[in-house]
Amino acid sequence: MSTMRRELEDSALKAFPHWEVVREREQARATVAELGWFMAGVPEDMGGLGLSRAELGVIFAQLGRALVPGGLVAQFLAVEALAGAQAFAGRDELLESAMAGEPLTASLAIGREGLEAVPDADLASHVLVRGVQEIALVALEGATIEPTPAWDTSRALFSVKPAEGGARLVLASGAEAAALNARLDELACLALAGDALGGASAVLAISIDYLGTRRQFDRPLAMFQALKHRAADLKAAIDTASALYDASSDARGTAMGAMKAHCCEVYKQVAEEAVQFHGGIGLTVEYPVHLFLKRAFLNRELGGSAGFWNERAGRALLEA
């Protein structure tokens, strides 16, 4: 384990030792800003920490482990867009405030038209609008913002329609927009896959603890071979997906999307099994395993579902 990876994990364990520590999205955003994580992927000559995608992946996994709420992934995307844009008047000041946690947002839906699944739009000053030919940061003053009801409430999602004639900063256009869009898609997939693996590890650990304390026939449930094997299979699935995740931090396009789809599927599988391990209490909507289950299902859909990435891979093969 690298020194930087260990330091990031230690910082996360101090700030977010478990899922119950931070449940308010504004508090979560402030804590992440204090840790300096929003500046982690920004080059040093722009005021950031210049960390690699692999090191960013450690941060995303820790956010998932602690089920940290809010639109943090969207903030990372907005910071990435500002850092990757051509210089313009006021860019440095805007980037600095974004790295300090001033709320910006972006859609986490890949492959869809419009501004759907936009986290924290009710708090943000600007939304990142991504088109094929242009990427712009648009002010949300006067915008129509409608909440999107969701089973998982750890991320507040909205549909957004910016106001006509609202302030607009063009960050990239033409070929530059295409390249930046690809970078943002890859970062979104990396973030959601890391969140999925962190969550899967956490909910499995909760389940194993439970199996060690709950007794049946005067024996802990953890003593039953069938349950041991199921838990071991899940641990193997997480470790395999984690190895793929670590090897894919610099992957491109469809490869990154396929990795994200696989990690999110593992998260869903582990969370569903965790509910089974807990029996009836696992079905209680306020119980932690249920909270992880809801996040697992939402992560599958955000950043492009498995169906979306399978279709994109198929089209790429046909065109090759």
Side-chain angles (χ1 to χ4, degrees), residues 14-210:
K14 290 176 183 174
F16 305 114
H18 52 77
W19 71 275
E20 292 179 292
V21 171
V22 177
R23 305 311 324 143
E24 297 294 331
R25 51 192 173 131
E26 292 181 71
Q27 184 188 351
R29 181 185 294 273
T31 302
V32 170
E34 287 174 8
L35 291 168
W37 285 356
F38 289 133
M39 63 175 65
V42 177
E44 292 181 80
D45 60 1
M46 299 178 74
L49 301 178
L51 301 190
S52 67
R53 282 280 172 94
E55 290 159 340
L56 275 179
V58 177
I59 292 174
F60 297 136
Q62 293 301 317
L63 294 176
R65 174 190 58 75
L67 212 62
V68 177
L72 305 181
V73 174
Q75 183 88 10
F76 277 98
L77 294 180
V79 169
E80 177 84 0
L82 282 168
Q86 293 292 328
F88 59 85
R91 193 271 299 268
D92 292 346
E93 291 77 8
L94 200 52
L95 177 59
E96 185 177 349
S97 66
M99 291 192 295
E102 182 64 31
L104 302 178
T105 192
S107 172
L108 298 184
I110 292 179
R112 296 183 184 177
E113 297 292 332
L115 289 172
E116 299 176 351
V118 182
D120 287 4
D122 58 331
L123 302 176
S125 60
H126 293 75
V127 62
L128 191 68
V129 179
R130 296 203 281 153
V132 176
Q133 293 296 323
E134 183 182 275
I135 297 176
L137 202 58
V138 177
L140 283 175
E141 186 175 0
T144 302
I145 300 173
E146 297 181 352
T148 302
W151 196 33
D152 175 29
T153 57
S154 66
R155 296 188 184 103
L157 300 178
F158 300 86
S159 293
V160 175
K161 184 178 180 182
E164 294 286 341
R168 183 184 188 88
L169 294 167
V170 176
L171 304 185
S173 57
E176 292 177 353
L180 187 53
N181 263 323
R183 283 178 53 183
L184 295 173
D185 283 352
E186 289 155 6
L187 182 61
C189 287
L190 183 75
L192 292 164
D195 189 278
L197 292 175
S201 297
V203 76
L204 180 59
I206 291 171
S207 300
I208 291 173
D209 285 345
Y210 180 77

Side-chain angles (χ1 to χ4, degrees), residues 211-224:
L211 294 178
T213 56
R214 170 116 186 250
R215 301 178 73 85
Q216 195 168 55
F217 305 118
D218 204 27
R219 300 170 63 193
L221 288 177
M223 296 295 290
F224 291 90

